[in-house]
Amino acid sequence: RIGSAIIQKIHTPMIHRNGSQHRCFARTQRRMTSRLMLGTVQFGMPYGIANQAGQVSRAETASILDHAWRRGINTLDTAIDYGESEQRLGDIGVGEWQVISKLSALQESCTDVAAWVQESVLSSLERLRIPRLRGLLLHRPQQLLGPQGSALYRALVAIKDQGKVEKIGISIYEPDELDAIWPHYQFDLVQAPFNIIDRRLAVSGWLERLHEADTEVHIRSVFLQGLLLMKSEKRPVAFNRWQPLWQQWHGWLNHQSLTPLQACLGFALAQPGIDRVVVGVENLTQLQEILASVETRAVEPPATLASEDIDLINPSRWATS
């Protein structure tokens, strides 16, 4: 593959007397990097509590994509609801990438679910200028438990059978959704939040269960929308109520001589049941910092850093004004 070939060229000059060690390191780094998936919401709209620059420009998006591909990242995470993201990606050209996209919420007034799914997917493919999606996720999987749930699932299976989608799945906000949905529907792919603070996917046992079921697992919010990367003085005052947690977080980082980026990525990539880790960036420099941090040895964070406080771990509940 193009990405792997270029990475090999980058690392070859490093090989001297300890060439075998360098080759082993390069292979390990490529394996870790290939598990990263580039989030694209910032390419289509302003997003994230730590976002200072707004929507990423087209030129910067192209630079990010080019560098990511050359370093071995080959998968993109996007969605119909991510503003201009799909259109931007198609304009730049992502024909060689594996693309995961998500359907919008199904309207209650929809009378032909199969036609709606078909039209939505074909429109996404047209915007992206690709023949098929690597994965198609439901953005609102709880709709499977509603009156149109069976029809929605059948429509997903049908679009997969047509070859327009390789894998179908759901994007969840909490593991409890799997408790309700999994007895009725099975999927090829599940995307869920997971980070040092929010470990519910593992603690609930669902990470292991999905792995055993050969279901592909993608995790997002590895930086908790950037909150875990913020310096104390930059963190919005609305989060001061969790000050003891932040003090422990920064104290542990200092003790381990780790940056927040190294700790977050190391923890996520150390989980054997996780197939892809979604990372979003606002510029090329951030991507380069992420790729450099992949080289760091993972250190297990203390269990006391985990929280199940929904007001903290679910960004939809944040009130930062």
Side-chain angles (χ1 to χ4, degrees):
R1 299 188 67 90
I2 295 174
S4 298
I6 292 177
I7 290 173
Q8 189 173 9
K9 290 179 182 178
I10 291 172
H11 286 281
T12 298
M14 297 170 57
I15 302 173
H16 300 296
R17 285 178 297 178
N18 295 325
S20 61
Q21 294 178 353
H22 285 297
R23 283 192 293 269
C24 180
F25 173 78
R27 284 195 299 270
T28 300
Q29 187 184 25
R30 284 199 297 273
R31 283 196 300 270
M32 300 294 272
T33 301
S34 67
R35 290 174 63 201
L36 297 180
M37 178 165 61
L38 193 59
T40 67
V41 62
Q42 292 95 336
F43 302 162
M45 58 193 294
Y47 177 80
I49 191 171
N51 187 315
Q52 300 294 321
Q55 182 181 346
V56 180
S57 71
R58 186 192 185 285
E60 190 73 4
T61 299
S63 296
I64 291 168
L65 290 171
D66 177 67
H67 189 74
W69 177 265
R70 288 189 290 108
R71 291 295 302 272
I73 300 175
N74 67 357
T75 309
L76 299 171
D77 174 72
T78 190
I80 293 172
D81 290 340
Y82 287 176
E84 302 172 348
S85 177
E86 288 187 337
Q87 187 69 53
R88 171 77 62 82
L89 294 173
D91 290 345
I92 293 172
V94 292
E96 296 182 280
W97 289 79
Q98 298 184 44
V99 182
I100 312 293
S101 195
K102 308 178 192 73
L103 290 171
S104 303
L106 177 65
Q107 299 298 313
E108 292 182 7
S109 58
C110 180
T111 57
D112 192 337
V113 176
W116 175 78
V117 169
Q118 184 87 7
E119 181 180 355
S120 297
V121 171
L122 293 181
S123 295
S124 282
L125 294 176
E126 183 178 359
R127 286 188 293 272
L128 290 161
R129 302 182 191 181
I130 57 176
R132 70 190 308 223
L133 291 170
R134 171 67 165 74
L136 177 68
L137 308 180
L138 291 180
H139 226 159
R140 298 291 181 268
Q142 63 269 27
Q143 292 188 317
L144 289 166
L145 304 176
Q148 296 172 305
S150 296
L152 183 56
Y153 183 75
R154 289 195 301 270
L156 293 177
V157 173
I159 202 76
K160 177 183 174 182
D161 290 343
Q162 292 171 23
K164 298 298 182 183
V165 172
E166 183 179 342
K167 295 192 174 189
I168 57 174
I170 54 178
S171 175
I172 64 170
Y173 287 89
E174 53 188 37
D176 288 351
E177 294 180 76
L178 291 172
D179 293 331
I181 293 170
W182 210 258
H184 308 286
Y185 307 103
Q186 281 75 51
F187 290 97
D188 309 309
L189 175 59
V190 169
Q191 185 185 109
F194 185 77
N195 53 64
I196 286 176
I197 304 297
D198 180 6
R199 308 184 199 181
R200 291 172 298 169
L201 191 66
V203 173
S204 66
W206 270 110
L207 181 57
E208 183 177 0
R209 289 178 63 181
L210 292 170
H211 183 62
E212 291 176 349
D214 201 28
T215 301
E216 196 168 322
V217 176
H218 296 179
I219 63 136
R220 65 179 185 275
S221 201
V222 66
F223 309 129
L224 198 54
Q225 283 199 16
L227 190 63
L228 289 172
L229 306 183
M230 287 181 176
K231 295 181 178 179
S232 299
E233 63 271 18
K234 296 291 186 180
R235 190 176 296 116
V237 295
F239 295 96
N240 287 350
R241 57 189 284 198
W242 295 285
Q243 191 60 27
L245 183 65
W246 304 131
Q247 290 176 341
Q248 184 186 6
W249 167 235
H250 291 292
W252 177 75
L253 290 172
N254 290 334
H255 181 72
Q256 297 294 334
S257 298
L258 290 172
T259 68
L261 195 59
Q262 291 170 337
C264 290
L265 285 172
F267 175 68
L269 291 170
Q271 311 301 316
I274 292 174
D275 297 282
R276 291 286 189 277
V277 176
V278 181
V279 292
V281 299
E282 299 168 25
N283 52 60
L284 180 57
T285 299
Q286 289 180 357
L287 175 60
Q288 292 169 332
E289 291 172 349
I290 285 172
L291 291 169
S293 296
V294 169
E295 303 174 10
T296 306
R297 178 181 60 87
V299 179
E300 180 70 20
T304 50
L305 281 173
S307 174
E308 294 197 3
D309 187 336
I310 200 70
D311 289 334
L312 173 61
I313 60 180
N314 188 343
S316 69
R317 297 175 66 95
W318 290 352
T320 59
S321 57

